[in-house]
Amino acid sequence: MANDDLKTLALADLHAELGAKFVPFAGYSMPVQYPLGVMGEHQWTRENAGLFDVSHMGQVMLPADAVAGLESLVPVDVAGLAEGRQRYGFFTNDAGGVLDDLMIARVPDGLFLVVNAGCKEADIAHLRAHIDGVEVIEDRALLALQGPKAEAALSEVLPGAAAMAFMDSTRMDWDGTEVWISRSGYTGEDGFEISIPEDRAEAFARALLADDRVEAIGLGARDSLRLEAGLPLYGQDLSPTISPVEAGQAWAIGKVRRPGGERAGGFPGADVILPQLGGNAPRRRVGLLPEGRAPMRAGVQIFDSEDAETPIGEITSGGFGPSLGSPMALALIDADTPKDISLFGEVRGKRLPVTQTKLPFTPPGYKR
Amino acid sequence: MKFTEDHEWLSADGDIITVGITEHAATQLGDVVYVELPEVETQVSKGDEIVVIESVKAASDIMSPLDGEIVETNDALADKPSLVNEDALGAAWFFKIKVEDPDAINEYMSEDEYKDLVGD
């Protein structure tokens, strides 16, 4: 189970009690699945409410005057973010690639960021190099409750949650404890992310798990859920060598940061990324549906015919979609590939047909 | 029934050996979503990778435990790969192999020895 070199979650004992299998992930011993199994947990989240422990992710607070500093690192309209609202964004590099993706919330006394576990140390160093007063939050757990019954279940313990709209971010009192809550997540479902002091996290998690609609869900199902939802995973679908435009994330680049905007550019790699917005990116992200049942995973090369010598791209994330009932994949392919042609993925030396499809693979359940 | 260190089970009927994976292996793999089986009439050698099992998270190979010829594969797995999780020791057999030396099976572990190996 827990390896000495791995950090453990504050809720590790609870996960073990619930029958979790643990795997090392981004330096943490993480629950990958529970007795329900990845497929069962995935379906449970799509139909009910799944509780995820995402405490391995980085939580960072920036002072209120860090808006301009943060805008120098991300192509997001941070200044235009109203108090109580959250936006998705990414740190870019000079080559126009992505260093990490993150959530940015405007809270009463500053900006609250959630960054990926594997990148958090680098992100914090990067922030500190440009912004004064960066505070790393190390004593709060982060839980996500996701699924169509998340609102009903969470309302039993936090009645105010139901009034929140998608991407609202606020603070609430739970039994004398301040929780930081946003209506967001990374499963394609309606849901919430809740930051809570570690010493109160287990009691809070148990209060949620006492509800018949809530089951603990591991990392395995989190990955298949986000992939069905067409959401990119940092390190696969987003990376320092993939531009956000190529990765299909141009929507997150605020209008004011685009050419002609009030605060156009001014972030690393703007000279690469902004010209790509007009449809000039060399590659584009595409959803792929393999025709058979064989899953095509990250690294599978994509060809535009059965006998082409040179691949036109590669799968960045792939697997089996439990709700979709078939394999699915995200790929990065040459931008000039016609959208209506069948492609081929090479699996174990065989070229198998795949169809290009719109994303997400399954309809989103966000409550706007 | 005999067991390999790679978590396969072997069941002999004369010179025809049926091969599958153990419940222990099926549990470790998690939900199986696809099984790629060898072609019937393929000549195989011990150690050849002849089956690919894809679970929700990963692909793993299983190897031929003996020399011989594939004489039958389990078509039911094409429509219902989840059989591997439901009935690993029964309905989810993978292939039948006709061997020249049926005694070769005896080099593998007994059920008790296998249980010791996996700590059940």
Short mmCIF file of all heavy atoms in Angstrom, two decimals, chain A residues 186-251:
data_model
loop_
_atom_site.label_atom_id
_atom_site.label_comp_id
_atom_site.label_asym_id
_atom_site.label_seq_id
_atom_site.Cartn_x
_atom_site.Cartn_y
_atom_site.Cartn_z
N TYR A 186 -14.46 18.03 -12.73
CA TYR A 186 -13.76 17.65 -13.96
C TYR A 186 -14.26 16.30 -14.46
O TYR A 186 -13.48 15.43 -14.86
CB TYR A 186 -12.24 17.63 -13.71
CG TYR A 186 -11.44 18.20 -14.87
CD1 TYR A 186 -11.63 19.52 -15.29
CD2 TYR A 186 -10.53 17.41 -15.57
CE1 TYR A 186 -10.92 20.03 -16.35
CE2 TYR A 186 -9.80 17.93 -16.64
CZ TYR A 186 -10.01 19.24 -17.02
OH TYR A 186 -9.30 19.75 -18.09
N THR A 187 -15.58 16.15 -14.42
CA THR A 187 -16.17 14.87 -14.83
C THR A 187 -17.20 15.05 -15.94
O THR A 187 -17.72 14.08 -16.46
CB THR A 187 -16.91 14.21 -13.65
OG1 THR A 187 -17.96 15.11 -13.22
CG2 THR A 187 -15.96 13.92 -12.50
N GLY A 188 -17.51 16.31 -16.28
CA GLY A 188 -18.58 16.56 -17.24
C GLY A 188 -19.94 16.60 -16.59
O GLY A 188 -20.95 16.87 -17.24
N GLU A 189 -19.99 16.33 -15.28
CA GLU A 189 -21.26 16.36 -14.56
C GLU A 189 -21.38 17.66 -13.78
O GLU A 189 -20.40 18.33 -13.50
CB GLU A 189 -21.33 15.18 -13.58
CG GLU A 189 -21.39 13.81 -14.24
CD GLU A 189 -22.62 13.64 -15.12
OE1 GLU A 189 -23.70 14.14 -14.75
OE2 GLU A 189 -22.49 13.00 -16.17
N ASP A 190 -22.62 17.96 -13.38
CA ASP A 190 -22.82 19.01 -12.40
C ASP A 190 -22.09 18.57 -11.13
O ASP A 190 -21.96 17.38 -10.86
CB ASP A 190 -24.33 19.14 -12.11
CG ASP A 190 -24.63 20.21 -11.06
OD1 ASP A 190 -23.88 21.20 -11.00
OD2 ASP A 190 -25.61 20.04 -10.31
N GLY A 191 -21.62 19.53 -10.35
CA GLY A 191 -20.96 19.13 -9.11
C GLY A 191 -20.24 20.27 -8.45
O GLY A 191 -20.32 21.42 -8.89
N PHE A 192 -19.55 19.93 -7.38
CA PHE A 192 -18.92 20.93 -6.53
C PHE A 192 -17.52 20.49 -6.13
O PHE A 192 -17.26 19.29 -6.03
CB PHE A 192 -19.75 21.10 -5.24
CG PHE A 192 -21.18 21.50 -5.50
CD1 PHE A 192 -22.15 20.54 -5.81
CD2 PHE A 192 -21.56 22.84 -5.45
CE1 PHE A 192 -23.47 20.90 -6.06
CE2 PHE A 192 -22.88 23.21 -5.70
CZ PHE A 192 -23.83 22.24 -6.00
N GLU A 193 -16.65 21.47 -5.91
CA GLU A 193 -15.37 21.18 -5.28
C GLU A 193 -15.34 21.94 -3.96
O GLU A 193 -15.72 23.12 -3.92
CB GLU A 193 -14.19 21.58 -6.18
CG GLU A 193 -14.06 20.61 -7.36
CD GLU A 193 -12.72 20.68 -8.10
OE1 GLU A 193 -11.96 21.64 -7.88
OE2 GLU A 193 -12.47 19.76 -8.90
N ILE A 194 -14.92 21.25 -2.92
CA ILE A 194 -15.00 21.81 -1.57
C ILE A 194 -13.63 21.72 -0.90
O ILE A 194 -13.10 20.64 -0.73
CB ILE A 194 -16.04 21.05 -0.71
CG1 ILE A 194 -17.39 21.00 -1.43
CG2 ILE A 194 -16.19 21.73 0.66
CD1 ILE A 194 -17.89 19.63 -1.76
N SER A 195 -13.08 22.88 -0.56
CA SER A 195 -11.83 22.95 0.19
C SER A 195 -12.18 23.11 1.67
O SER A 195 -12.95 23.99 2.04
CB SER A 195 -11.01 24.15 -0.31
OG SER A 195 -9.91 24.38 0.54
N ILE A 196 -11.61 22.23 2.50
CA ILE A 196 -12.01 22.19 3.91
C ILE A 196 -10.77 21.88 4.76
O ILE A 196 -9.92 21.11 4.32
CB ILE A 196 -13.13 21.14 4.12
CG1 ILE A 196 -13.58 21.10 5.58
CG2 ILE A 196 -12.71 19.75 3.65
CD1 ILE A 196 -14.91 20.36 5.80
N PRO A 197 -10.64 22.51 5.95
CA PRO A 197 -9.47 22.19 6.79
C PRO A 197 -9.33 20.68 6.99
O PRO A 197 -10.33 19.98 7.21
CB PRO A 197 -9.80 22.90 8.12
CG PRO A 197 -10.68 24.03 7.74
CD PRO A 197 -11.51 23.51 6.58
N GLU A 198 -8.07 20.21 6.91
CA GLU A 198 -7.83 18.76 6.97
C GLU A 198 -8.44 18.10 8.21
O GLU A 198 -8.94 16.99 8.13
CB GLU A 198 -6.31 18.49 6.95
CG GLU A 198 -5.74 18.61 5.55
CD GLU A 198 -4.28 18.16 5.47
OE1 GLU A 198 -3.62 18.10 6.53
OE2 GLU A 198 -3.83 17.87 4.35
N ASP A 199 -8.40 18.83 9.34
CA ASP A 199 -8.89 18.18 10.56
C ASP A 199 -10.42 18.07 10.60
O ASP A 199 -10.97 17.46 11.51
CB ASP A 199 -8.34 18.89 11.82
CG ASP A 199 -8.73 20.36 11.87
OD1 ASP A 199 -9.43 20.83 10.93
OD2 ASP A 199 -8.35 21.05 12.83
N ARG A 200 -11.09 18.66 9.64
CA ARG A 200 -12.55 18.54 9.58
C ARG A 200 -13.00 17.75 8.34
O ARG A 200 -14.18 17.49 8.15
CB ARG A 200 -13.18 19.94 9.54
CG ARG A 200 -12.93 20.78 10.78
CD ARG A 200 -13.72 20.27 11.98
NE ARG A 200 -15.11 20.69 11.90
CZ ARG A 200 -16.15 19.95 12.28
NH1 ARG A 200 -15.95 18.74 12.77
NH2 ARG A 200 -17.38 20.40 12.18
N ALA A 201 -12.03 17.39 7.51
CA ALA A 201 -12.37 16.78 6.22
C ALA A 201 -13.03 15.42 6.37
O ALA A 201 -13.98 15.08 5.65
CB ALA A 201 -11.11 16.66 5.35
N GLU A 202 -12.53 14.61 7.31
CA GLU A 202 -13.11 13.27 7.43
C GLU A 202 -14.56 13.34 7.89
O GLU A 202 -15.43 12.64 7.36
CB GLU A 202 -12.28 12.41 8.38
CG GLU A 202 -12.81 10.98 8.43
CD GLU A 202 -11.97 10.02 9.25
OE1 GLU A 202 -10.73 10.19 9.26
OE2 GLU A 202 -12.56 9.13 9.87
N ALA A 203 -14.83 14.21 8.87
CA ALA A 203 -16.22 14.34 9.35
C ALA A 203 -17.14 14.81 8.22
O ALA A 203 -18.26 14.32 8.05
CB ALA A 203 -16.27 15.32 10.51
N PHE A 204 -16.62 15.72 7.41
CA PHE A 204 -17.41 16.23 6.29
C PHE A 204 -17.65 15.13 5.25
O PHE A 204 -18.77 14.94 4.76
CB PHE A 204 -16.69 17.42 5.66
CG PHE A 204 -17.45 18.09 4.56
CD1 PHE A 204 -18.53 18.92 4.86
CD2 PHE A 204 -17.10 17.89 3.23
CE1 PHE A 204 -19.25 19.53 3.84
CE2 PHE A 204 -17.82 18.51 2.20
CZ PHE A 204 -18.89 19.33 2.52
N ALA A 205 -16.58 14.40 4.93
CA ALA A 205 -16.71 13.31 3.94
C ALA A 205 -17.69 12.26 4.45
O ALA A 205 -18.53 11.75 3.70
CB ALA A 205 -15.35 12.68 3.67
N ARG A 206 -17.60 11.93 5.74
CA ARG A 206 -18.52 10.92 6.30
C ARG A 206 -19.96 11.41 6.25
O ARG A 206 -20.88 10.63 6.02
CB ARG A 206 -18.13 10.58 7.73
CG ARG A 206 -16.91 9.67 7.82
CD ARG A 206 -16.69 9.19 9.26
NE ARG A 206 -15.40 8.53 9.40
CZ ARG A 206 -15.18 7.24 9.10
NH1 ARG A 206 -16.17 6.47 8.66
NH2 ARG A 206 -13.97 6.73 9.25
N ALA A 207 -20.16 12.72 6.48
CA ALA A 207 -21.52 13.27 6.41
C ALA A 207 -22.08 13.10 4.99
O ALA A 207 -23.26 12.77 4.82
CB ALA A 207 -21.51 14.74 6.81
N LEU A 208 -21.24 13.29 3.98
CA LEU A 208 -21.70 13.10 2.60
C LEU A 208 -21.92 11.62 2.29
O LEU A 208 -22.91 11.24 1.67
CB LEU A 208 -20.68 13.69 1.61
CG LEU A 208 -20.54 15.21 1.61
CD1 LEU A 208 -19.40 15.63 0.69
CD2 LEU A 208 -21.85 15.87 1.15
N LEU A 209 -20.97 10.78 2.74
CA LEU A 209 -21.06 9.34 2.42
C LEU A 209 -22.23 8.66 3.13
O LEU A 209 -22.67 7.58 2.73
CB LEU A 209 -19.74 8.64 2.80
CG LEU A 209 -18.55 8.97 1.89
CD1 LEU A 209 -17.24 8.53 2.55
CD2 LEU A 209 -18.70 8.31 0.52
N ALA A 210 -22.75 9.31 4.19
CA ALA A 210 -23.90 8.74 4.90
C ALA A 210 -25.16 8.79 4.02
O ALA A 210 -26.14 8.09 4.27
CB ALA A 210 -24.14 9.51 6.20
N ASP A 211 -25.10 9.62 2.99
CA ASP A 211 -26.22 9.75 2.04
C ASP A 211 -26.16 8.59 1.05
O ASP A 211 -25.12 8.34 0.44
CB ASP A 211 -26.06 11.09 1.31
CG ASP A 211 -27.30 11.48 0.54
OD1 ASP A 211 -27.79 10.64 -0.25
OD2 ASP A 211 -27.76 12.63 0.70
N ASP A 212 -27.28 7.91 0.87
CA ASP A 212 -27.32 6.74 -0.04
C ASP A 212 -26.97 7.10 -1.48
O ASP A 212 -26.63 6.24 -2.27
CB ASP A 212 -28.73 6.13 -0.06
CG ASP A 212 -29.01 5.37 1.23
OD1 ASP A 212 -28.04 5.10 1.97
OD2 ASP A 212 -30.20 5.08 1.49
N ARG A 213 -27.08 8.37 -1.82
CA ARG A 213 -26.81 8.78 -3.21
C ARG A 213 -25.32 8.96 -3.47
O ARG A 213 -24.91 9.16 -4.61
CB ARG A 213 -27.53 10.10 -3.49
CG ARG A 213 -29.04 9.97 -3.48
CD ARG A 213 -29.72 11.33 -3.42
NE ARG A 213 -29.56 11.98 -2.12
CZ ARG A 213 -30.34 12.97 -1.68
NH1 ARG A 213 -31.32 13.43 -2.43
NH2 ARG A 213 -30.13 13.52 -0.49
N VAL A 214 -24.51 8.92 -2.39
CA VAL A 214 -23.08 9.24 -2.53
C VAL A 214 -22.21 7.98 -2.35
O VAL A 214 -22.39 7.23 -1.40
CB VAL A 214 -22.66 10.30 -1.49
CG1 VAL A 214 -21.17 10.62 -1.61
CG2 VAL A 214 -23.50 11.57 -1.67
N GLU A 215 -21.28 7.78 -3.27
CA GLU A 215 -20.27 6.72 -3.16
C GLU A 215 -18.89 7.34 -3.35
O GLU A 215 -18.74 8.30 -4.11
CB GLU A 215 -20.48 5.67 -4.27
CG GLU A 215 -21.61 4.69 -4.03
CD GLU A 215 -21.25 3.58 -3.04
OE1 GLU A 215 -20.05 3.38 -2.75
OE2 GLU A 215 -22.20 2.93 -2.55
N ALA A 216 -17.90 6.76 -2.69
CA ALA A 216 -16.51 7.20 -2.90
C ALA A 216 -16.04 6.70 -4.26
O ALA A 216 -16.28 5.54 -4.61
CB ALA A 216 -15.61 6.67 -1.80
N ILE A 217 -15.38 7.55 -5.01
CA ILE A 217 -14.94 7.22 -6.37
C ILE A 217 -13.44 7.50 -6.48
O ILE A 217 -12.95 8.52 -5.99
CB ILE A 217 -15.71 8.06 -7.42
CG1 ILE A 217 -17.24 7.96 -7.21
CG2 ILE A 217 -15.33 7.63 -8.84
CD1 ILE A 217 -17.85 6.61 -7.37
N GLY A 218 -12.73 6.61 -7.18
CA GLY A 218 -11.27 6.72 -7.27
C GLY A 218 -10.78 7.40 -8.54
O GLY A 218 -11.56 7.82 -9.41
N LEU A 219 -9.47 7.45 -8.64
CA LEU A 219 -8.80 8.09 -9.78
C LEU A 219 -9.11 7.43 -11.11
O LEU A 219 -9.11 8.08 -12.15
CB LEU A 219 -7.28 7.99 -9.61
CG LEU A 219 -6.52 8.96 -8.74
CD1 LEU A 219 -5.03 8.71 -8.94
CD2 LEU A 219 -6.86 10.39 -9.11
N GLY A 220 -9.32 6.10 -11.08
CA GLY A 220 -9.58 5.36 -12.32
C GLY A 220 -10.81 5.90 -13.02
O GLY A 220 -10.79 6.24 -14.21
N ALA A 221 -11.91 6.00 -12.27
CA ALA A 221 -13.15 6.51 -12.86
C ALA A 221 -13.05 8.01 -13.16
O ALA A 221 -13.65 8.49 -14.11
CB ALA A 221 -14.33 6.24 -11.93
N ARG A 222 -12.26 8.71 -12.37
CA ARG A 222 -12.09 10.14 -12.66
C ARG A 222 -11.52 10.32 -14.06
O ARG A 222 -11.92 11.21 -14.81
CB ARG A 222 -11.15 10.77 -11.61
CG ARG A 222 -11.05 12.28 -11.71
CD ARG A 222 -10.31 12.84 -10.50
NE ARG A 222 -9.99 14.26 -10.68
CZ ARG A 222 -10.83 15.25 -10.45
NH1 ARG A 222 -12.06 14.99 -10.03
NH2 ARG A 222 -10.48 16.51 -10.64
N ASP A 223 -10.58 9.44 -14.43
CA ASP A 223 -9.98 9.56 -15.76
C ASP A 223 -10.97 9.22 -16.87
O ASP A 223 -11.04 9.91 -17.88
CB ASP A 223 -8.74 8.66 -15.85
CG ASP A 223 -7.93 8.98 -17.10
OD1 ASP A 223 -7.62 10.16 -17.31
OD2 ASP A 223 -7.62 8.05 -17.87
N SER A 224 -11.75 8.15 -16.71
CA SER A 224 -12.69 7.82 -17.80
C SER A 224 -13.82 8.85 -17.88
O SER A 224 -14.32 9.15 -18.97
CB SER A 224 -13.24 6.39 -17.63
OG SER A 224 -13.83 6.18 -16.37
N LEU A 225 -14.21 9.42 -16.73
CA LEU A 225 -15.26 10.44 -16.74
C LEU A 225 -14.79 11.71 -17.47
O LEU A 225 -15.50 12.25 -18.31
CB LEU A 225 -15.65 10.80 -15.29
CG LEU A 225 -16.48 9.74 -14.55
CD1 LEU A 225 -16.36 9.94 -13.03
CD2 LEU A 225 -17.94 9.78 -14.97
N ARG A 226 -13.56 12.15 -17.15
CA ARG A 226 -13.08 13.39 -17.78
C ARG A 226 -12.83 13.18 -19.28
O ARG A 226 -13.04 14.07 -20.09
CB ARG A 226 -11.86 13.94 -17.05
CG ARG A 226 -10.57 13.16 -17.20
CD ARG A 226 -9.70 13.65 -18.31
NE ARG A 226 -8.71 12.63 -18.64
CZ ARG A 226 -8.05 12.59 -19.78
NH1 ARG A 226 -8.26 13.46 -20.73
NH2 ARG A 226 -7.20 11.64 -20.01
N LEU A 227 -12.43 11.96 -19.63
CA LEU A 227 -12.17 11.71 -21.05
C LEU A 227 -13.49 11.67 -21.84
O LEU A 227 -13.57 12.28 -22.91
CB LEU A 227 -11.38 10.40 -21.21
CG LEU A 227 -10.98 9.97 -22.61
CD1 LEU A 227 -10.31 11.10 -23.39
CD2 LEU A 227 -10.05 8.76 -22.55
N GLU A 228 -14.51 11.01 -21.31
CA GLU A 228 -15.82 11.04 -21.97
C GLU A 228 -16.32 12.47 -22.12
O GLU A 228 -17.02 12.81 -23.07
CB GLU A 228 -16.85 10.25 -21.16
CG GLU A 228 -16.86 8.77 -21.46
CD GLU A 228 -17.97 8.03 -20.74
OE1 GLU A 228 -18.64 8.62 -19.86
OE2 GLU A 228 -18.18 6.86 -21.04
N ALA A 229 -15.99 13.31 -21.13
CA ALA A 229 -16.44 14.71 -21.15
C ALA A 229 -15.56 15.56 -22.08
O ALA A 229 -15.79 16.76 -22.22
CB ALA A 229 -16.43 15.29 -19.74
N GLY A 230 -14.54 14.94 -22.69
CA GLY A 230 -13.67 15.67 -23.62
C GLY A 230 -12.75 16.65 -22.92
O GLY A 230 -12.24 17.58 -23.54
N LEU A 231 -12.53 16.46 -21.63
CA LEU A 231 -11.69 17.39 -20.86
C LEU A 231 -10.23 16.93 -20.92
O LEU A 231 -9.94 15.77 -20.69
CB LEU A 231 -12.16 17.44 -19.40
CG LEU A 231 -13.60 17.93 -19.22
CD1 LEU A 231 -14.07 17.70 -17.78
CD2 LEU A 231 -13.71 19.41 -19.57
N PRO A 232 -9.32 17.86 -21.23
CA PRO A 232 -7.93 17.47 -21.39
C PRO A 232 -7.25 17.17 -20.06
O PRO A 232 -7.58 17.77 -19.04
CB PRO A 232 -7.30 18.71 -22.04
CG PRO A 232 -8.13 19.85 -21.57
CD PRO A 232 -9.54 19.30 -21.44
N LEU A 233 -6.31 16.25 -20.11
CA LEU A 233 -5.52 15.92 -18.92
C LEU A 233 -4.12 16.48 -19.12
O LEU A 233 -3.47 16.21 -20.13
CB LEU A 233 -5.45 14.40 -18.75
CG LEU A 233 -4.63 13.91 -17.54
CD1 LEU A 233 -5.29 14.35 -16.23
CD2 LEU A 233 -4.49 12.39 -17.57
N TYR A 234 -3.66 17.25 -18.12
CA TYR A 234 -2.32 17.79 -18.23
C TYR A 234 -1.29 16.66 -18.22
O TYR A 234 -1.39 15.71 -17.46
CB TYR A 234 -1.99 18.79 -17.10
CG TYR A 234 -0.64 19.38 -17.40
CD1 TYR A 234 -0.52 20.39 -18.34
CD2 TYR A 234 0.52 18.81 -16.86
CE1 TYR A 234 0.73 20.85 -18.73
CE2 TYR A 234 1.77 19.27 -17.24
CZ TYR A 234 1.86 20.29 -18.18
OH TYR A 234 3.09 20.72 -18.58
N GLY A 235 -0.30 16.76 -19.11
CA GLY A 235 0.72 15.72 -19.22
C GLY A 235 0.41 14.78 -20.37
O GLY A 235 1.28 14.03 -20.82
N GLN A 236 -0.83 14.81 -20.85
CA GLN A 236 -1.21 14.00 -22.01
C GLN A 236 -1.77 14.88 -23.13
O GLN A 236 -1.19 15.00 -24.18
CB GLN A 236 -2.24 12.93 -21.61
CG GLN A 236 -1.62 11.91 -20.68
CD GLN A 236 -2.55 10.74 -20.36
OE1 GLN A 236 -2.28 9.99 -19.45
NE2 GLN A 236 -3.65 10.60 -21.10
N ASP A 237 -2.94 15.47 -22.85
CA ASP A 237 -3.63 16.27 -23.87
C ASP A 237 -3.14 17.72 -23.87
O ASP A 237 -3.36 18.46 -24.83
CB ASP A 237 -5.14 16.23 -23.63
CG ASP A 237 -5.62 14.81 -23.39
OD1 ASP A 237 -5.43 13.98 -24.30
OD2 ASP A 237 -6.13 14.53 -22.30
N LEU A 238 -2.54 18.12 -22.77
CA LEU A 238 -1.92 19.43 -22.65
C LEU A 238 -0.48 19.20 -22.22
O LEU A 238 -0.24 18.36 -21.35
CB LEU A 238 -2.60 20.27 -21.57
CG LEU A 238 -4.03 20.74 -21.80
CD1 LEU A 238 -4.58 21.38 -20.52
CD2 LEU A 238 -4.09 21.73 -22.94
N SER A 239 0.45 19.95 -22.80
CA SER A 239 1.85 19.77 -22.41
C SER A 239 2.64 20.99 -22.86
O SER A 239 2.13 21.83 -23.60
CB SER A 239 2.42 18.51 -23.05
OG SER A 239 2.86 18.80 -24.37
N PRO A 240 3.90 21.07 -22.44
CA PRO A 240 4.72 22.22 -22.85
C PRO A 240 4.93 22.28 -24.37
O PRO A 240 5.34 23.32 -24.88
CB PRO A 240 6.05 21.96 -22.14
CG PRO A 240 5.69 21.14 -20.94
CD PRO A 240 4.57 20.25 -21.41
N THR A 241 4.64 21.20 -25.09
CA THR A 241 4.84 21.24 -26.55
C THR A 241 3.52 21.26 -27.32
O THR A 241 3.51 21.10 -28.54
CB THR A 241 5.68 20.04 -27.03
OG1 THR A 241 4.99 18.84 -26.66
CG2 THR A 241 7.06 20.03 -26.39
N ILE A 242 2.42 21.44 -26.62
CA ILE A 242 1.11 21.52 -27.29
C ILE A 242 0.52 22.89 -26.95
O ILE A 242 0.41 23.25 -25.76
CB ILE A 242 0.15 20.41 -26.80
CG1 ILE A 242 0.76 19.02 -27.03
CG2 ILE A 242 -1.21 20.53 -27.49
CD1 ILE A 242 -0.05 17.88 -26.40
N SER A 243 0.13 23.66 -27.95
CA SER A 243 -0.45 24.97 -27.65
C SER A 243 -1.90 24.79 -27.22
O SER A 243 -2.56 23.82 -27.61
CB SER A 243 -0.38 25.89 -28.88
OG SER A 243 -1.52 25.73 -29.69
N PRO A 244 -2.41 25.72 -26.42
CA PRO A 244 -3.81 25.59 -25.99
C PRO A 244 -4.79 25.61 -27.16
O PRO A 244 -5.87 25.01 -27.07
CB PRO A 244 -4.02 26.78 -25.05
CG PRO A 244 -2.82 27.65 -25.19
CD PRO A 244 -1.73 26.85 -25.79
N VAL A 245 -4.42 26.28 -28.24
CA VAL A 245 -5.31 26.31 -29.41
C VAL A 245 -5.35 24.93 -30.05
O VAL A 245 -6.41 24.39 -30.36
CB VAL A 245 -4.84 27.37 -30.43
CG1 VAL A 245 -5.80 27.42 -31.63
CG2 VAL A 245 -4.74 28.74 -29.77
N GLU A 246 -4.17 24.32 -30.20
CA GLU A 246 -4.11 22.96 -30.75
C GLU A 246 -4.91 21.99 -29.87
O GLU A 246 -5.57 21.08 -30.36
CB GLU A 246 -2.66 22.48 -30.81
CG GLU A 246 -1.81 23.21 -31.84
CD GLU A 246 -0.36 22.75 -31.80
OE1 GLU A 246 0.22 22.60 -30.71
OE2 GLU A 246 0.20 22.54 -32.90
N ALA A 247 -4.83 22.21 -28.58
CA ALA A 247 -5.49 21.30 -27.63
C ALA A 247 -6.99 21.55 -27.51
O ALA A 247 -7.66 20.91 -26.71
CB ALA A 247 -4.83 21.43 -26.26
N GLY A 248 -7.51 22.49 -28.31
CA GLY A 248 -8.96 22.73 -28.28
C GLY A 248 -9.40 23.59 -27.10
O GLY A 248 -10.57 23.57 -26.73
N GLN A 249 -8.47 24.33 -26.50
CA GLN A 249 -8.80 25.10 -25.31
C GLN A 249 -8.81 26.61 -25.57
O GLN A 249 -8.75 27.40 -24.62
CB GLN A 249 -7.82 24.77 -24.18
CG GLN A 249 -7.78 23.29 -23.83
CD GLN A 249 -9.14 22.75 -23.45
OE1 GLN A 249 -9.71 23.14 -22.45
NE2 GLN A 249 -9.69 21.86 -24.27
N ALA A 250 -8.88 27.00 -26.83
CA ALA A 250 -8.86 28.42 -27.16
C ALA A 250 -10.02 29.17 -26.51
O ALA A 250 -9.91 30.37 -26.20
CB ALA A 250 -8.92 28.61 -28.69
N TRP A 251 -11.12 28.47 -26.25
CA TRP A 251 -12.30 29.10 -25.63
C TRP A 251 -11.95 29.75 -24.30
O TRP A 251 -12.62 30.68 -23.87
CB TRP A 251 -13.41 28.06 -25.43
CG TRP A 251 -12.99 26.92 -24.53
CD1 TRP A 251 -12.40 25.76 -24.92
CD2 TRP A 251 -13.10 26.86 -23.11
NE1 TRP A 251 -12.12 24.98 -23.82
CE2 TRP A 251 -12.55 25.62 -22.69
CE3 TRP A 251 -13.61 27.73 -22.12
CZ2 TRP A 251 -12.48 25.24 -21.36
CZ3 TRP A 251 -13.54 27.33 -20.79
CH2 TRP A 251 -12.99 26.09 -20.41
#
